């Protein structure tokens, strides 16, 4: 239906139906209602008067409910429009659905996986990644099947916020909206920090090559053709710091030219330059133009995997196992900082707010659970592959594993050509994705508050200024994407991954009389894990 249509529906197990015996039109605007349709309408009204929609016993039998191609919706204009059925030919096979989920879930979190494994310890990090993947898959499965557990209501066009509203009322609807905004705006802040980083390094690469400037003498790192650097080396390897503040020169960054250093600073100037480019793009009424470039995300991830494979093959593996004690060059296998990894992984595996929509396009709905599981396996394998290879190949000695950055590309010098290509690809990809994220924020927020996705240019401009200002401030004063990802992941995951799905599942089973104590204990434990994951971010 179009936005001007307000359907007036009776909901039955077979679907919505409401037809007044007048002004029914099909493709011909002059077509009138047939006698058969009028009789069918009278039957449905007769059964609707016998009982409420919650009483299954007196619901209309199947032969009374019309077939999908005979269903109409009623608009305030007094005209009923025929509902067009889903064209099975337009739906995707399982392979396309699986890679759509993989492509949607793959994001900037992949850059922080090696850092997260370092924070947790190599062995514990691998175990946590696998365990969190299974946990997130199960919670996503609960979200996927939640609309079907709602009885006597047509939920074919429901999303997860609609399910939350059904079970928790307005509180559930607004809570799901707020925490969905946390994930989206958190992602936009991370994008702003990374775009500042990539734009800075891209400009630095071009400037150094144009002026024949070598940065190798000013960077602390390994020797050889495949150099790895430690941007902020620690003087005390026993320190347990998780974030090192960059020690910048007065201009903001180390550079051989004072003027260039002053005007091309990763934190002082680059975040401001991006405003000129991105703020106008956010104000576009439609984001369809930027949606054409989503393929860049797949290209960037594939290139990152190739980059990691090449670097690991050239650097070799550098591993020593120190189970609980920190050495000069290696971190323990089990560290108390592991909640930082769980926070990152909560956002890395987060797709719960759009999984219902993605799965609607699957041609074989009976394979939804299988396809979702395969997609999660591929995502988990990709994260594990990148995280393990970067951690294992990091040259220790001479560098400590504790030097692995929250963006592992920062561990490679600006002069590295392969990394330069990766940064450039990611920069262009993020420039096209950032307006899409802003569009999603605007649609959800403005639609809920004003009932209009674009109430006015002024409304949209104020919202966009707030979003951009958040990114600029974080990029300027706290450009640590690891901490941003883990806090936003743990915050939105608390409600949308753990609390709401587990509560909805238990309430549904309770109403069916099928809730048993093992299930209640298990799903209550999920809620406690979400709360613990959220609180632990403030103590690490």
């Amino acid at each position: 239906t179009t936005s001007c249509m307000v359907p007036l529906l009776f909901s039955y197990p077979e679907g919505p139906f409401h037809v007044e015996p007048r002004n029914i039109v099909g493709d011909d605007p002059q077509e009138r209602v047939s006698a058969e349709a009028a009789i069918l309408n009278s039957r449905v009204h007769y059964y609707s008067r016998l009982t409420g929609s919650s009483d299954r016993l007196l619901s209309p039998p199947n032969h009374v409910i019309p077939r999908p191609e005979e269903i109409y919706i009623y608009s305030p204009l007094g005209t009923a429009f025929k509902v067009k059925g889903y064209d099975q030919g337009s739906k995707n096979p399982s392979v396309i659905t699986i890679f759509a989920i993989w492509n949607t879930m793959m994001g900037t979190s992949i850059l922080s996986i090696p850092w997260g494994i370092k924070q947790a310890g190599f062995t514990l990090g691998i175990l946590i990644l696998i365990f969190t993947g299974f946990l997130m898959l199960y919670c996503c499965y609960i979200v996927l099947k939640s609309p079907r557990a709602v009885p006597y209501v047509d939920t074919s066009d429901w999303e997860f916020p609609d399910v939350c509203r059904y079970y928790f009322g307005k509180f559930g609807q607004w809570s799901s909206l707020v925490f969905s905004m946390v994930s989206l705006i958190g992602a936009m802040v991370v994008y702003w920090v990374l775009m500042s980083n990539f734009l800075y390094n891209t400009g630095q690469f071009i400037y150094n090559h144009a002026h024949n400037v070598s940065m190798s003498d000013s960077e602390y790192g390994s020797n050889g053709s495949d150099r790895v650097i430690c941007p902020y080396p620690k003087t005390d390897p026993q320190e347990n710091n998780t974030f090192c503040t960059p020690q910048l020169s007065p201009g903001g960054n180390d550079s051989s030219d004072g003027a260039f250093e002053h005007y091309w600073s990763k934190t002082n100037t680059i975040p401001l330059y991006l405003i000129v480019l991105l703020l106008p793009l956010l104000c576009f009424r439609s984001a369809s133009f930027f949606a054409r470039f989503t393929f860049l995300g797949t290209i960037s991830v594939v290139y990152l995997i190739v980059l990691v494979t090449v670097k690991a093959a050239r650097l070799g593996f550098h591993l020593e196992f120190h189970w609980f004690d920190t050495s000069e060059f290696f971190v323990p296998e089990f560290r108390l900082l592991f909640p930082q990894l769980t926070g990152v992984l909560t956002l890395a595996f987060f797709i719960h707010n759009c999984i219902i929509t993605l799965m609607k396009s699957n041609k074989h709905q009976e394979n939804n659970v299988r396809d979702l599981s395969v997609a999660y396996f591929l995502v988990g394998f990709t994260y594990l592959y990148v995280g393990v290879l970067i951690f294992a190949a990091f040259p220790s000695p001479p560098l400590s594993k504790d030097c692995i950055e929250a963006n592992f590309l920062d561990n490679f010098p600006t002069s590295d050509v392969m990394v330069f290509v990766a940064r450039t690809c990611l920069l262009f990809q993020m420039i096209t994705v950032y307006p899409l994220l802003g569009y999603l924020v605007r649609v959800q927020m403005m639609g809920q508050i004003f009932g209009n996705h674009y109430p006015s240019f002024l409304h949209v401009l104020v919202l966009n200024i707030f979003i951009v200002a958040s990114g600029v401030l974080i990029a300027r004063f706290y450009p640590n994407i690891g901490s941003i990802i883990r806090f936003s992941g743990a915050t939105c995951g608390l409600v949308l991954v753990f609390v709401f799905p587990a509560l909805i599942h238990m309430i549904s089973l309770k109403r069916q009389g099928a809730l048993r104590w093992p299930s209640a204990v298990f799903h209550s434990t999920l809620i406690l894990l979400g709360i613990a994951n959220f609180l632990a971010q403030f103590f690490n």
Side-chain angles (χ1 to χ4, degrees), residues 278-298:
L278 294 174
L279 184 57
L281 297 182
L282 284 178
C283 296
F284 280 25
R285 184 179 293 270
S286 172
S288 58
F289 172 77
F290 304 104
R292 302 174 185 175
F293 299 95
T294 53
F295 69 93
L296 291 174
T298 305

Side-chain angles (χ1 to χ4, degrees), residues 63 81 95 140 148 150 173 216 238 318 459 493 501 524 528:
H63 68 272
F81 292 84
V95 173
C140 196
R148 299 198 302 269
V150 177
Q173 181 186 16
S216 58
Q238 301 298 324
H318 305 267
H459 287 83
S524 298
L528 294 177

Side-chain angles (χ1 to χ4, degrees), residues 390-402:
I390 289 294
F391 183 91
F394 196 83
S396 301
L399 304 179
S400 169
K401 296 287 187 184
D402 225 10

Side-chain angles (χ1 to χ4, degrees), residues 10-17 65 71 154:
F10 288 112
S11 295
Y12 295 106
E14 299 296 325
F17 182 76
I65 301 298
I71 295 177
D154 177 65

Side-chain angles (χ1 to χ4, degrees), residues 425-486:
C425 290
L426 287 169
L427 175 62
F428 281 106
Q429 180 228 341
M430 290 180 180
I431 288 175
T432 58
V433 172
Y434 189 85
L436 284 174
L437 296 177
Y439 176 78
L440 293 176
V441 172
R442 183 213 312 165
V443 166
Q444 294 188 39
M445 187 173 295
M446 296 295 185
Q448 287 290 335
I449 297 175
F450 301 104
N452 188 339
H453 298 166
Y454 202 98
S456 73
F457 177 77
L458 182 60
H459 287 83
V460 173
L461 181 62
V462 170
L463 174 63
N464 291 337
I465 289 175
F466 169 77
I467 294 173
V468 168
S470 301
V472 171
L473 290 175
I474 296 297
R476 174 68 181 86
F477 297 105
Y478 193 71
N480 187 332
I481 66 166
S483 293
I484 303 169
I485 291 174
R486 68 186 180 93

Side-chain angles (χ1 to χ4, degrees), residues 278-452:
L278 294 174
L279 184 57
L281 297 182
L282 284 178
C283 296
F284 280 25
R285 184 179 293 270
S286 172
S288 58
F289 172 77
F290 304 104
R292 302 174 185 175
F293 299 95
T294 53
F295 69 93
L296 291 174
T298 305
I299 295 175
S300 300
V301 172
V302 171
Y303 183 80
L304 275 179
I305 294 173
V306 173
L307 170 68
V308 168
T309 305
V310 171
K311 292 296 183 182
R314 292 178 177 176
L315 293 170
F317 287 175
H318 305 267
L319 291 172
E320 283 186 16
F321 295 93
H322 300 265
W323 297 105
F324 300 102
D325 299 324
T326 301
S327 66
E328 182 180 358
F329 299 107
F330 298 92
V331 296
E333 299 301 302
F334 299 89
R335 304 181 77 182
L336 295 178
L337 299 174
F338 69 87
Q340 298 188 9
L341 175 60
T342 61
V344 170
L345 291 176
T346 306
L347 194 63
F349 285 111
F350 181 71
I351 198 174
H352 301 61
N353 59 340
C354 61
I355 189 60
I356 296 175
T357 302
L358 285 172
M359 282 304 188
K360 283 179 182 177
S361 63
N362 197 6
K363 186 174 183 179
H364 301 285
Q365 292 292 302
E366 67 276 9
N367 296 332
N368 276 353
V369 176
R370 182 201 67 185
D371 296 344
L372 178 65
S373 302
V374 173
Y376 258 87
F377 170 79
L378 291 177
V379 171
F381 178 79
T382 306
Y383 287 151
L384 200 61
Y385 183 84
V386 172
V388 168
L389 283 190
I390 289 294
F391 183 91
F394 196 83
S396 301
L399 304 179
S400 169
K401 296 287 187 184
D402 225 10
C403 283
I404 297 177
E405 291 294 306
N407 170 12
F408 74 80
L409 294 179
D410 284 344
N411 287 115
F412 297 97
T414 304
S415 58
D416 192 307
V417 177
M418 286 192 70
V419 177
F420 164 75
V421 173
R423 286 169 173 150
T424 305
C425 290
L426 287 169
L427 175 62
F428 281 106
Q429 180 228 341
M430 290 180 180
I431 288 175
T432 58
V433 172
Y434 189 85
L436 284 174
L437 296 177
Y439 176 78
L440 293 176
V441 172
R442 183 213 312 165
V443 166
Q444 294 188 39
M445 187 173 295
M446 296 295 185
Q448 287 290 335
I449 297 175
F450 301 104
N452 188 339

Side-chain angles (χ1 to χ4, degrees), residues 212-286:
N212 197 26
V213 176
S214 175
M215 301 287 292
S216 58
D217 294 335
S218 61
E219 294 173 329
Y220 176 71
S222 61
N223 298 318
S225 56
D226 286 280
R227 276 177 53 82
V228 177
I229 64 174
C230 186
Y232 316 115
K234 299 176 182 178
T235 56
D236 182 5
Q238 301 298 324
E239 283 186 6
N240 203 18
N241 298 329
T242 61
F243 175 65
C244 300
T245 304
Q247 299 299 319
L248 302 174
S249 63
N253 301 284
D254 292 330
S255 177
S256 60
D257 186 274
F260 180 77
E261 175 184 293
H262 179 75
Y263 291 107
W264 197 256
S265 167
K266 186 189 299 184
T267 56
N268 292 342
T269 59
I270 299 295
L272 300 176
Y273 295 160
L274 288 172
I275 298 176
V276 179
L277 172 65
L278 294 174
L279 184 57
L281 297 182
L282 284 178
C283 296
F284 280 25
R285 184 179 293 270
S286 172

Side-chain angles (χ1 to χ4, degrees), residues 486-502:
R486 68 186 180 93
F487 274 105
S488 58
T491 302
C492 70
L494 171 64
V495 173
L496 298 180
V497 174
F498 296 105
V499 175
F500 275 5

